[in-house]
Amino acid sequence: MTTTVEKHVFQAEVNEVLALVVNSLYSHREVFLRELISNASDALDQLSFRALQEHDLLGDDKELRVELIRDPAAGTLTIRDNGVGMTRDELIGNLGTIARSGSKKLMQSLAAEQKKDLSLIGQFGVGFYSAFLVADSVTVLSRKAGSDDAWIWESEAKGDFEIRPSERKGRGTDVVLHLKADAKEYLDEWPVRTVVRKYSDYVRWPIRMQVERGDGAEKKVEWNTLNAARALWTRSKSEVERAQYVDFYKSLSHEWQDPLAWTHFKVEGTHELTGLLFVPQKAPFDLGERRKSGVRLFVKRVFIMDDAQEIVPEWLRFLRGVVDSEDLPLNVSREILQRDATTRFIKKQVVGKALTLLEELAAEGETEQELDGEKQQVRRYETFWHEFGRNLKEGVYHDVESRERLAALLRFRTDKDDALHGLKDYVGRMPADQKAIFWVAADNLATARSSPHIEALRKRGYEVLLLTDQIDEWVVDALREFDGKPFTAAAKGALDLPETDEQKKHKEEKQKELGSVLERAKTALSEHVKEVRVTDRLTDSPACLVSDEHGMSARQERILREAGHDVPAQKRILEVNPDHPVIRKMQAMTDEQRFAEWSALLFDQARLAEGALPVDPAAFSKRLAQLMAGQ
Ligand code: ADP
Ligand code: MG
């Protein structure tokens, strides 16, 4: 028989990753072993999951395991599993292309970090290629479970790979690493053992290796299991040490850094379940677009699925960890999960435990944490808020049941200072006559702080929330109130500030007195505003624009439009400051043409003050220049 060797070229993205891996010197290159063991373990998970339905799939080969084979004579280290295996097409597809946008993100992240640190490679879905950190060439021999055909995939990472038919005793995969001259240490027992213990101790399947013991005639070779391989979450909390949690997290998440916090819980009663949930220190590169959760679902210690969206709501997708149920059927599928009442129970527990953990963090003072290799005094909740605050806002918006608890966890900047504040503290500081929680939204803090809309509020000593995140306005709209105090936009409707009779009278008089000016301005600006009225919002600025009480703000309108939504432009209300000299000057103006120019300027500068452009920037500059020239 002549064997046919096919040559395939790598997808361009793969070549980019390979160039990175091959051509540079990286710290932590030992992570290749974690990545390959993780793939082997995934293959065993998949096989055991399939075997729940296909009863003959395992055949005689029932003991699922990973084996590490050191061959000093050949200079190879092999990672072998008797897992699900790959067909010819799967070899080509899985080890020749990158399905996700992983490689580009990996490059960006490496460029951003300015560190050639590939230890995170597994997070980008390209972990397999880390084999080339230590190998000149890699041979993969695989046989798919349930098939008799075996195939070889082989590459030197020089732009292409070969595929040829081969033979293998039983199902599974061998990844054979032809070690580089400077990576021969992985032919020795201890370096391999140390790396396995470091990264893969909690892999659920036994990782075995042959070792030599004794001397001379006493010398014998024996199989050792290198990892602890116990489901950590099944032990009681008092039995598990901090370092074990940290190691478990790292081996589960492909993370390098310690987790920020975790919760380990057991629920007993009608439903039983165990869970171990971690909050990372840093958001993953694709948190924004990712919809998968990082929580694995087990049923009675049997792995069921990786990204159990059914038991973790989307806004908690930053969590990593495991949930192990005693009640779900072992052959549970996505469809069953979606229907099963147990799923809802589990989800509720996950949300509840996560919220409790966050509440504890929020209540905590400074603690010593190791960040970027240095010990620092930090408030963990602030770190959390910086990385994942946005997820909590999503939660407020989508998860009505958790809204109240989430509201207390939100943090805002206010005009008071530069710190982050919770709503409870804000309400606690409110002066007796303040009836609402006031907020103003802008694209950045500086614009929000100097917004004309909050002048009168500040003068009264009312604190104002400065909302700069795009979704903030939707969040306060969804919340409506906190602790019985309504959220009120500084730039919407009437502010209804408490007034003395005298103040009220003053305003009414001004409105009457300025009646004609207001009418004339409304006519001049009829294209842009629906009303011109006297305000109690302003103390220093001549005018500002406000929306209807329940209308969308100009910023919300703009955000939606930028996101491609078709939003009709709403006319807003121009409010003028009756005590401002500009308004008084306009009142005395008889030249209608000039009055119209001034009205347009008044309107445009109100737009500018909230960070928008004048309606017609060229016309605005011309008017301004004329004004400066004293015409
Ligand atoms: P990821 O594990 O994130 O999917 P990798 O680059 O580590 O990315 O692996 C790519 C793919 O190759 C895997 O998703 C899997 O389909 C396949 N694969 C790798 N190693 C094995 C193995 N030992 N057994 C079966 N399939 C494997
Ligand atoms: Mg992998």
Side-chain angles (χ1 to χ4, degrees):
M1 193 178 97
T2 53
T3 51
T4 34
V5 178
E6 308 167 35
K7 264 208 191 303
H8 293 262
V9 292
F10 283 119
Q11 183 197 30
E13 287 216 307
V14 176
N15 277 325
E16 284 177 43
V17 172
L18 284 173
L20 260 183
V21 169
V22 174
N23 294 328
S24 319
L25 268 178
Y26 293 100
S27 46
H28 319 307
R29 69 175 182 179
E30 79 253 24
V31 297
F32 79 94
L33 197 53
R34 171 186 70 187
E35 294 305 325
L36 299 178
I37 289 175
S38 148
N39 286 350
S41 164
D42 289 348
L44 294 167
D45 281 341
Q46 282 182 37
L47 180 79
S48 67
F49 182 63
R50 270 183 60 187
L52 293 172
Q53 312 277 3
E54 302 164 48
H55 299 293
D56 332 321
L57 197 66
L58 296 187
D60 299 333
D61 191 8
K62 289 206 183 352
E63 198 194 318
L64 304 189
R65 61 186 183 273
V66 182
E67 284 172 5
L68 305 179
I69 299 136
R70 295 172 288 121
D71 185 341
T76 60
L77 174 69
T78 299
I79 294 87
R80 170 177 295 167
D81 65 72
N82 55 352
V84 72
M86 283 177 274
T87 62
R88 170 188 169 279
D89 291 353
E90 284 170 340
L91 279 170
I92 297 172
N94 295 340
L95 310 183
T97 58
I98 301 172
R100 291 180 267 159
S101 56
S103 73
K104 200 179 265 147
K105 293 279 165 61
L106 173 63
M107 315 280 172
Q108 284 167 358
S109 135
L110 286 178
E113 302 243 319
Q114 300 255 312
K115 277 191 285 199
K116 301 272 181 234
D117 182 356
L118 270 178
S119 64
L120 302 174
I121 189 164
Q123 289 178 16
F124 299 87
V126 294
F128 169 77
Y129 303 103
S130 66
F132 291 98
L133 287 170
V134 294
D136 296 316
S137 82
V138 176
T139 310
V140 180
L141 166 62
S142 196
R143 178 170 154 190
K144 184 86 181 176
S147 158
D148 293 331
D149 304 330
W151 293 86
I152 279 182
W153 175 105
E154 196 162 59
S155 178
E156 292 178 10
K158 294 189 176 142
D160 56 14
F161 60 92
E162 277 181 20
I163 290 283
R164 60 177 184 272
S166 181
E167 277 174 22
R168 189 180 194 279
K169 215 171 120 234
R171 58 153 203 273
T173 304
D174 290 0
V175 178
V176 186
L177 308 175
H178 304 269
L179 294 172
K180 291 182 184 177
D182 64 0
K184 298 283 190 213
E185 77 235 44
Y186 297 108
L187 295 173
D188 298 332
E189 177 190 341
W190 285 98
V192 174
R193 207 179 249 281
T194 316
V195 178
V196 171
R197 281 301 288 272
K198 183 162 171 192
Y199 295 105
S200 312
D201 205 25
Y202 297 103
V203 166
R204 301 190 314 116
W205 306 103
I207 303 166
R208 305 199 309 166
M209 185 167 74
Q210 276 188 319
V211 297
E212 285 180 9
R213 290 290 181 263
D215 278 324
E218 301 285 297
K219 203 160 162 175
K220 57 176 196 259
V221 175
E222 60 184 39
W223 283 101
N224 273 193
T225 298
L226 308 184
N227 56 330
R230 259 186 77 186
L232 188 79
W233 61 92
T234 60
R235 301 193 207 168
S236 80
K237 265 198 246 187
S238 56
E239 268 182 56
V240 187
E241 283 168 32
R242 190 199 139 81
Q244 291 175 302
Y245 283 121
V246 170
D247 290 347
F248 178 72
Y249 165 77
K250 287 181 178 170
S251 77
L252 183 89
S253 66
H254 301 263
E255 269 289 353
W256 179 246
Q257 279 181 311
D258 289 5
L260 184 72
W262 59 85
T263 171
H264 184 185
F265 58 91
K266 208 178 214 100
V267 178
E268 278 160 339
T270 33
H271 293 295
E272 276 184 38
L273 104 127
T274 328
L276 179 47
L277 302 173
F278 294 91
V279 178
Q281 270 189 46
K282 280 213 155 61
F285 72 98
D286 60 349
L287 185 68
E289 62 212 58
R290 189 210 306 250
R291 288 299 168 254
K292 287 182 167 182
S293 93
V295 177
R296 297 184 171 203
L297 175 65
F298 287 76
V299 173
K300 301 190 185 74
R301 258 76 53 218
V302 178
F303 170 81
I304 304 294
M305 61 184 75
D306 240 340
D307 55 323
Q309 287 141 305
E310 289 75 10
I311 57 162
V312 183
E314 206 169 292
W315 62 271
L316 275 174
R317 63 186 176 276
F318 57 84
L319 289 179
R320 300 283 169 268
V322 299
V323 168
D324 193 343
S325 161
E326 297 294 319
D327 307 298
L328 286 169
L330 268 175
N331 60 356
V332 70
S333 64
R334 284 245 133 84
E335 291 70 49
I336 298 179
L337 269 186
Q338 277 157 13
R339 282 188 271 111
D340 201 302
T342 317
T343 313
R344 279 193 294 282
F345 174 82
I346 297 177
K347 189 171 182 174
K348 220 173 148 169
Q349 297 300 323
V350 168
V351 173
K353 300 296 178 196
L355 284 171
T356 307
L357 175 63
L358 295 178
E359 284 160 358
E360 281 165 14
L361 284 190
E364 169 188 280
E366 291 194 341
T367 56
E368 195 174 80
Q369 284 278 298
E370 190 161 317
L371 284 177
D372 301 322
E374 267 176 62
K375 286 218 166 32
Q376 298 177 17
Q377 287 294 115
V378 294
R379 281 184 192 280
R380 287 195 288 173
Y381 194 70
E382 284 188 9
T383 311
F384 167 79
W385 181 256
H386 182 255
E387 295 295 316
F388 303 109
R390 185 115 198 217
N391 287 65
L392 299 198
K393 294 178 186 174
E394 272 179 47
V396 167
Y397 195 70
H398 293 293
D399 189 344
V400 183
E401 269 178 58
S402 308
R403 200 167 270 171
E404 231 180 283
R405 289 178 77 181
L406 280 169
L409 287 166
L410 297 179
R411 292 293 177 267
F412 295 96
R413 306 265 170 205
T414 77
D415 64 334
K416 181 167 150 350
D417 51 26
D418 292 326
L420 283 166
H421 299 281
L423 292 170
K424 209 163 151 252
D425 293 343
Y426 175 101
V427 170
R429 282 192 295 266
M430 277 167 55
D433 67 348
Q434 185 181 340
K435 299 282 174 276
I437 301 170
F438 292 103
W439 59 267
V440 65
D443 288 340
N444 55 62
L445 282 176
T447 310
R449 254 182 229 288
S450 53
S451 160
H453 299 101
I454 65 173
E455 286 173 4
L457 296 172
R458 293 186 107 165
K459 197 154 181 216
R460 283 166 188 264
Y462 295 177
E463 193 174 346
V464 183
L465 306 182
L466 309 175
L467 309 185
T468 52
D469 197 350
Q470 292 215 336
I471 70 170
D472 281 345
E473 288 182 63
W474 280 275
V475 170
V476 291
D477 281 350
L479 281 175
R480 281 209 203 92
E481 56 160 58
F482 181 82
D483 205 7
K485 311 278 185 290
F487 283 95
T488 300
K492 279 191 201 179
L495 280 188
D496 285 334
L497 299 175
E499 292 173 318
T500 59
D501 288 346
E502 207 175 313
Q503 286 168 323
K504 210 176 273 168
K505 217 165 122 213
H506 174 77
K507 195 169 139 191
E508 277 161 15
E509 270 168 19
K510 287 288 175 186
Q511 179 91 22
K512 220 179 278 162
E513 193 186 312
L514 288 177
S516 65
V517 181
L518 303 178
E519 272 306 311
R520 285 162 73 197
K522 188 181 162 186
T523 315
L525 295 170
S526 62
E527 227 185 295
H528 306 300
V529 303
K530 62 178 185 190
E531 197 187 332
V532 181
R533 69 186 181 205
V534 167
T535 190
D536 54 0
R537 255 174 263 262
L538 304 173
T539 57
D540 302 329
S541 306
C544 67
L545 284 161
V546 299
S547 309
D548 283 336
E549 190 180 346
H550 300 293
M552 223 182 255
S553 76
R555 184 163 170 272
Q556 266 178 313
E557 236 179 86
R558 198 188 70 225
I559 290 169
L560 286 179
R561 217 169 282 135
E562 279 165 6
H565 295 276
D566 192 11
V567 214
Q570 291 172 40
K571 282 191 190 172
R572 292 196 292 152
I573 300 160
L574 183 72
E575 289 195 347
V576 300
N577 177 355
D579 301 319
H580 199 281
V582 167
I583 306 300
R584 275 192 254 118
K585 255 192 175 169
M586 287 177 75
Q587 195 179 10
M589 226 173 254
T590 47
D591 179 348
E592 260 338 285
Q593 175 65 32
R594 186 146 179 258
F595 184 89
E597 296 285 321
W598 278 55
S599 301
L601 269 175
L602 201 61
F603 175 71
D604 277 339
Q605 66 83 26
R607 286 176 59 92
L608 276 171
E610 51 184 41
L613 279 179
V615 184
D616 178 349
F620 171 78
S621 345
K622 210 159 122 195
R623 283 191 193 109
L624 188 62
Q626 277 171 358
L627 191 72
M628 289 164 82
Q631 288 172 19

